[in-house]
Amino acid sequence: MTTTGVNGTASSESSLLQQAAQSILSGLTNSTLDVSSLVSSLVTAKTAGQQQTITNAISSDNTMLSALGSMQSALSSVLSALSGQTSTAGQAGSLVDGTIFQSLSATMSGSGITASTTTGAAAGTYSINVTQIATANQISSKAYASGATLGTGTLTIGVGSGSMSITLDSTNNTLQGVANAINNSSTNPGVTAAVVTGTDGQHLVLTSTQTGAANTVTVSGGAGVDSGMATANFTQVTAAQDAKLTVSGTSIDSASNTITNALTGVNLALTSASVGTTQTLSIAQNTTAISNQIQSFVTAYNQWISTETSLSSFNASAAQGSQAGPLLGDAMLNSAVNGIASIMSSGITVGGTTYDLAQIGINLNHDGTLSLDTSKLNSTLATSPSTVSAIFNGTNGFGEQLNAFISSYTDSATGQITQRESSLNADLAAQSQAQTSLTAWEQTLTAQYQAQFTQLNTLMAQTTNETSYLNRLFGGGGLSGSLNSK
């Protein structure tokens, strides 16, 4: 570490004073002083020590804040991994309170049905038979010549129990005009319109935006509207129908292909590929979610080890001043490292049985990092899931202990890191104030010295003029003297 302490500062000030003295001597020789350079040298000599102290303090505070930020980030990532905040969608639960082991996953034995679990799902197997899926009603008008008009009056479009009215006039009484009016209406009850041109002419095609038998599309035209604009004169392209299925023998009808209330805590999504099939739905512990979250924890923990090692390292071959990590020997970091290591190397006792991380494939390496034997973890989840849940139980499990200990450092209100950062920020504020005061003093000194040496310069110029006059009068300085010539 480079040290520019008192001796270095004193040497710098001495050099600046020597420069100032030389400027004065030069001024005496040349009859005038370089006031600007002289003042700058003297002011810098007066303030250099204080400026260096402020600069060093600010640099040290900022370095420490950066190091603490890295420590906070690494520890927070461990907590996030334990709590499940880094998990992907559908992998709900935490290794802190053990709720991850209550997470269930749903799998289907065939295709065409997607199943997912929500709150309230229960483990078990269920038989699902789908006879039809829900479809949206679609109807098509008779053929019209391109640009044919449909008369004037009121056209009513209905879907289920809702309806809308369109006034036809010369601006919109074509198939395309009607389609545009339907699609742009603020009172549209749930229908889309399109004009399809075929070999026989143009057709107005209306489609319900919702599936289900109740959501049929109807069309009726008032007086003056072409008679083709009536439901009876439209051809049904797709019938409106509900999905029909059985879950373990219980019949279910659904207007939607997304079924959320047939089986508590389970959502089913049907596609046409499921029609006519009987499949098995299995609800079981979500071992994939558990395995993924443990892997996330191991990854975050190893990043913490890498971070704390870097912050506390010493590299003798590095350039002087950058050999030591910013938190080398720091009591707070050492306390965190030792506390976490102690938790990780201890066993967890549940019901008189002691468990350790190695039993589920989490191995502690010599360098402090963790390695995960995924095969062993998955095998334990399959054969002895209670072992995994015991190790991460919500009372005294590894996750709960780590969460409580690490939070004492990372808590945004009371954490040790926050307190250290507050102290450093307070010192930075104090250094900023000290810099402001020093700058004001520099300005005062500059003005003072400027006035003094400007006055000295004037006096020296007067002395030089008088000396020149006397030399010319009496002789001297290589002159014969006007009085001596008489």
Side-chain angles (χ1 to χ4, degrees):
M1 180 179 294
T2 303
T3 55
T4 52
V6 175
N7 291 337
T9 302
S11 175
S12 176
E13 292 178 1
S14 175
S15 175
L16 290 168
L17 288 173
Q18 289 175 2
Q19 294 177 27
Q22 184 61 45
S23 178
I24 294 174
L25 291 174
S26 176
L28 290 174
T29 302
N30 299 316
S31 301
T32 59
L33 297 172
D34 182 353
V35 174
S36 179
S37 297
L38 176 60
V39 169
S40 177
S41 297
L42 289 174
V43 170
T44 301
K46 280 280 189 178
T47 60
Q50 295 178 60
Q51 183 62 67
Q52 190 62 52
T53 298
I54 293 171
T55 300
N56 289 345
I58 291 174
S59 176
S60 176
D61 287 347
N62 284 327
T63 298
M64 187 62 70
L65 281 172
S66 177
L68 292 175
S70 297
M71 180 180 176
Q72 171 88 16
S73 177
L75 289 175
S76 295
S77 292
V78 174
L79 293 186
S80 294
L82 286 170
S83 66
Q85 294 179 18
T86 58
S87 297
T88 57
Q91 297 181 2
S94 168
L95 291 171
V96 175
D97 56 16
T99 54
I100 185 66
F101 302 103
Q102 301 167 19
S103 173
L104 301 176
S105 62
T107 56
M108 298 298 307
S109 62
S111 60
I113 305 175
T114 302
S116 59
T117 58
T118 61
T119 303
T125 57
Y126 308 88
S127 175
I128 298 179
N129 172 254
V130 179
T131 55
Q132 70 179 40
I133 63 170
T135 54
N137 187 208
Q138 186 178 82
I139 60 177
S140 176
S141 74
K142 69 176 186 178
Y144 287 87
S146 177
T149 58
L150 304 174
T152 58
T154 301
L155 183 66
T156 302
I157 308 295
V159 179
S161 60
S163 64
M164 63 186 292
S165 294
I166 299 171
T167 300
L168 298 185
D169 56 31
S170 60
T171 66
N172 66 354
N173 63 349
T174 62
L175 291 184
Q176 190 60 60
V178 170
N180 292 341
I182 292 172
N183 293 332
N184 296 329
S185 175
S186 61
T187 60
N188 188 311
V191 61
T192 60
V195 175
V196 177
T197 301
T199 56
D200 59 345
Q202 293 186 327
H203 299 259
L204 178 65
V205 177
L206 304 178
T207 307
S208 170
T209 58
Q210 298 181 36
T211 57
N215 296 310
T216 57
V217 180
T218 60
V219 183
S220 62
V225 177
D226 187 276
S227 61
M229 292 291 103
T231 306
N233 294 317
F234 276 69
T235 301
Q236 180 168 266
V237 179
T238 304
Q241 68 180 28
D242 292 340
K244 294 185 180 295
L245 65 155
T246 61
V247 176
S248 292
T250 300
S251 296
I252 296 166
D253 286 359
S254 171
S256 169
N257 288 314
T258 299
I259 303 167
T260 61
N261 55 2
L263 187 61
T264 303
V266 179
N267 292 335
L268 301 174
L270 310 180
T271 67
S272 59
S274 66
V275 176
T277 67
T278 298
Q279 303 180 32
T280 299
L281 166 65
S282 299
I283 307 295
Q285 187 180 59
N286 194 344
T287 56
T288 299
I290 297 170
S291 179
N292 287 346
Q293 195 156 324
I294 289 176
Q295 179 62 70
S296 294
F297 161 65
V298 169
T299 300
Y301 186 88
N302 288 343
Q303 183 57 53
W304 151 247
I305 295 299
S306 175
T307 298
E308 63 89 358
T309 299
S310 175
L311 294 174
S312 60
S313 65
F314 184 84
N315 184 1
S317 62
Q320 188 175 9
S322 59
Q323 295 172 321
L327 294 181
L328 176 63
D330 185 82
M332 185 182 73
L333 178 62
N334 290 340
S335 175
V337 170
N338 294 335
I340 293 173
S342 176
I343 292 172
M344 296 299 291
S345 61
S346 300
I348 300 297
T349 301
V350 179
T353 301
T354 299
Y355 303 89
D356 60 55
L357 290 169
Q359 288 178 258
I360 61 172
I362 302 177
N363 301 305
L364 188 61
N365 303 319
H366 293 300
D367 61 358
T369 61
L370 299 176
S371 58
L372 178 63
D373 184 339
T374 306
S375 296
K376 186 171 185 178
L377 173 60
N378 291 336
S379 175
T380 306
L381 284 171
T383 60
S384 181
S386 60
T387 298
V388 186
S389 59
I391 286 176
F392 287 101
N393 76 84
T395 303
N396 68 335
F398 282 102
E400 191 281 331
Q401 290 190 47
L402 286 171
N403 183 71
F405 182 78
I406 293 175
S407 293
S408 69
Y409 290 88
T410 62
D411 186 89
S412 60
T414 61
Q416 295 185 45
I417 295 176
T418 297
Q419 294 176 10
R420 283 278 294 277
E421 289 175 335
S422 296
S423 177
L424 289 167
N425 283 320
D427 187 64
L428 281 173
Q431 296 304 328
S432 177
Q433 182 57 51
Q435 181 67 69
T436 299
S437 298
L438 181 59
T439 299
W441 187 44
E442 288 177 338
Q443 293 172 346
T444 299
L445 283 176
T446 298
Q448 177 183 331
Y449 289 155
Q450 189 80 28
Q452 290 175 345
F453 286 106
T454 297
Q455 184 177 7
L456 177 60
N457 223 9
T458 300
L459 179 60
M460 291 171 63
Q462 292 174 348
T463 301
T464 299
N465 290 336
E466 292 171 354
T467 300
S468 176
Y469 170 74
L470 292 174
N471 283 337
R472 290 195 303 272
L473 185 63
F474 295 104
L479 300 175
S480 59
S482 57
L483 294 178
N484 291 336
S485 61
K486 294 180 180 180

